[in-house]
Amino acid sequence: MALVASPIDAQSVAGALSEIAEIASETLELQDVFDRVAAAIRELVPFDNMGVVRILDDDRAVLHASTIPCKGPECSDPLPLTSWSPRMRPRPGPNPIIEDAQIEFDPAFHFDAKALQGGVRSAMWEPFRSTSTLRGGVWLAAYQPRAFTEEHQEVLRPIAALLGSAVEHWRIWDTDRRRRDRLDRIEALLGTLAESLDVSRVFQRLSDGMQPILPHDMMCLTELNVRAGTIRIKASAGQADIRPSDSPVELTELEMERRTDLEIINDIPAEIAPDTERQRLIISSGMRSWLRVPVWLSGEIKGGLSFFHREPSSFNREDAEVAQRLADRIALTYSLARLAEQARIATESRERAERLEATVETLVHEVASRGRGRIVGTSPSWRDSLLAVGRVASSDTTVRFGFQGVKPKVMQLGSILRLG
């Protein structure tokens, strides 16, 4: 069926823009209202299919919304811009109207071939102009040749700017939503950390749990010895070209200073020189990308948490925030382990104090029962006990380690003993 365009006037354009703005404001997810947006545009520019392409970077784009039902990875996953022929490819500047796709499209390119298979004969593209950077644009397609005019292109321009603003708002919202989702998923790993106060025992499971959140080929946890100026690998997961050693590695003064900062290396062989022991080990791993964040404990650097990938440019600042969240949770486990060790020492001290107090109590009673004269012990065990009590009576360490209840009895016993 032939498309017939109605006369376009300024009032119609203003009304359509107002309607599109109102529809787009109902939700940040443009796909939910895309059919209604398309219907409003169709009042001005007749077309059969419409889509919004969002540019991710200089090499990739994603189909953000379309009037054509879409299934499969190409509807959500980033695709290289080379999936379109140079004639059809999204671009920041003008793209002349495609009068006849059968003549102008190149079926050797994926999207050209798909458009031709779908019956597209003519098309029109208009980039977003809401920002200085190309974020994408709008395309319209028709099943008949020469369906669009320069007047249609002029009308599409403010529509593209409006949709560009809507997509940009969605991008900001979606970025924040994904960020919060990734950070929340880190909290789910607390259950794994809670299973053992020794992080190395659950480190492989932590790495497995991090894969969908922060993909990597190797994850390492290092421990810093500030006094010796060395680090050593405390735990690792994944496969490198060489097996990571847990021997201490000396750090230069500059490397020590950098321990407080995060590091993102996009290409290890190109950015790291093999002039220190640490850097030679990193290069020999065979990895290309590296992300390291510090592990803080009680205001001091405990070590570092590193992620490696065999592909270059695999990590960014958002990934660093995710990695830091896990590093902070690991530091919390370190803190709990330290408290547990202190509690264990305190418990052992109390138990020793209780045993000593019982021994001293027995000696006091026995000495009292023998009278207050000089005692000459004939039993070696008796003599050893009296000598031990004498040492305790002269020691101030008993107060420090929870032996407060013992010392008065030791003092009492010491006052009635005359040991030779």
Side-chain angles (χ1 to χ4, degrees):
M1 184 178 71
L3 297 173
V4 179
S6 302
I8 302 175
D9 57 72
Q11 186 174 357
S12 299
V13 173
L17 290 175
S18 177
E19 183 179 0
I20 293 168
E22 184 176 352
I23 295 171
S25 67
E26 295 178 7
T27 177
L28 287 171
E29 182 51 83
L30 186 59
Q31 184 65 65
D32 293 342
V33 295
F34 196 66
D35 287 341
R36 292 167 57 194
V37 171
I41 297 174
R42 193 174 276 116
E43 293 295 325
L44 299 175
V45 183
F47 62 87
D48 292 300
N49 295 319
M50 169 184 168
V52 170
V53 176
R54 186 163 60 92
I55 306 297
L56 301 180
D57 50 43
D58 293 338
D59 302 312
R60 302 173 304 151
V62 65
L63 184 61
H64 182 66
S66 174
T67 55
I68 304 174
C70 190
K71 296 180 180 180
E74 71 179 29
C75 305
S76 57
D77 293 348
L79 293 169
L81 287 173
T82 51
S83 299
W84 291 269
S85 68
R87 180 67 179 89
M88 188 183 180
R89 188 171 303 160
R91 66 191 68 189
N95 191 340
I97 294 173
I98 295 170
E99 300 286 354
D100 193 338
Q102 290 185 351
I103 298 174
E104 300 177 64
F105 282 1
D106 185 347
F109 292 84
H110 172 73
F111 277 107
D112 291 47
K114 186 175 180 180
L116 290 170
Q117 291 169 4
V120 171
R121 292 295 302 274
S122 57
M124 182 169 58
W125 161 266
E126 183 64 35
F128 298 151
R129 300 181 186 276
S130 57
T131 63
S132 58
T133 303
L134 175 64
R135 295 291 187 186
V138 183
W139 57 261
L140 301 179
Y143 295 151
Q144 67 182 55
R146 291 172 290 278
F148 302 112
T149 66
E150 291 300 329
E151 186 180 24
H152 293 148
Q153 189 82 54
E154 290 294 325
V155 171
L156 187 59
R157 192 158 293 127
I159 293 174
L162 184 58
L163 291 178
S165 296
V167 170
E168 180 66 9
H169 292 159
W170 175 88
R171 185 192 65 81
I172 295 171
W173 168 81
D174 185 62
T175 298
D176 184 63
R177 178 184 64 82
R178 291 177 183 273
R179 169 185 167 274
R180 286 184 281 106
D181 179 64
R182 294 175 78 194
L183 294 177
D184 289 345
R185 291 166 71 182
I186 294 290
E187 304 305 315
L189 296 177
L190 290 180
T192 301
L193 280 169
E195 293 179 12
S196 175
L197 293 179
D198 184 355
V199 177
S200 60
R201 292 189 176 184
V202 296
F203 200 70
Q204 180 63 58
R205 291 174 56 195
L206 284 177
S207 174
D208 294 341
M210 285 296 293
Q211 284 293 353
I213 307 171
L214 182 55
H216 59 277
D217 289 306
M218 186 170 68
M219 185 171 86
C220 291
L221 180 65
T222 56
E223 191 173 60
L224 176 66
N225 186 328
V226 176
R227 180 173 298 180
T230 62
I231 58 169
R232 71 178 186 89
I233 295 179
K234 183 178 179 63
S236 66
Q239 296 295 326
D241 287 357
I242 62 169
R243 182 180 178 84
S245 172
D246 58 0
S247 301
V249 176
E250 291 188 7
L251 300 178
T252 65
E253 184 176 343
L254 180 59
E255 287 172 334
M256 285 291 293
E257 292 176 357
R258 289 178 176 174
R259 301 308 296 175
T260 60
D261 302 322
L262 68 88
E263 290 183 90
I264 298 178
I265 303 297
N266 291 318
D267 194 346
I268 290 174
E271 298 180 44
I272 295 182
D275 50 11
T276 69
E277 183 180 3
R278 168 177 172 265
Q279 295 185 172
R280 284 190 290 271
L281 289 173
I282 292 171
I283 294 171
S284 65
S285 69
M287 300 295 169
R288 296 290 299 276
S289 301
W290 176 34
L291 164 62
R292 183 193 64 80
V293 294
V295 177
W296 292 86
L297 181 62
S298 301
E300 298 179 347
I301 296 293
K302 175 71 174 179
L305 179 65
S306 291
F307 293 85
F308 294 90
H309 203 290
R310 292 191 179 275
E311 296 295 326
S313 303
S314 296
F315 304 117
N316 55 37
R317 300 288 297 194
E318 293 179 7
D319 296 326
E321 184 180 13
V322 172
Q324 189 63 63
R325 177 66 66 93
L326 179 61
D328 292 343
R329 298 305 178 264
I330 290 175
L332 178 60
T333 302
Y334 279 157
S335 181
L336 293 175
R338 177 182 290 182
L339 291 174
E341 178 64 14
Q342 292 174 348
R344 183 188 65 79
I345 294 174
T347 299
E348 291 179 353
S349 298
R350 284 195 300 271
E351 291 174 351
R352 288 197 299 271
E354 291 169 359
R355 289 194 298 270
L356 182 57
E357 185 175 4
T359 300
V360 172
E361 185 72 28
T362 300
L363 292 175
V364 168
H365 286 305
E366 187 164 351
V367 169
S369 67
R370 291 172 182 244
R372 300 181 60 85
R374 179 180 176 85
I375 298 175
V376 179
T378 57
S379 168
S381 61
W382 166 252
R383 189 181 301 111
D384 291 342
S385 296
L386 292 179
L387 290 172
V389 169
R391 286 193 297 270
V392 171
S394 63
S395 173
D396 290 332
T397 60
T398 55
V399 176
R400 291 174 55 200
F401 288 96
F403 292 76
Q404 294 92 333
V406 180
K407 193 162 186 176
K409 289 184 172 57
V410 173
M411 298 290 290
Q412 177 187 357
L413 181 61
S415 67
I416 62 176
L417 289 178
R418 300 292 184 269
L419 300 178

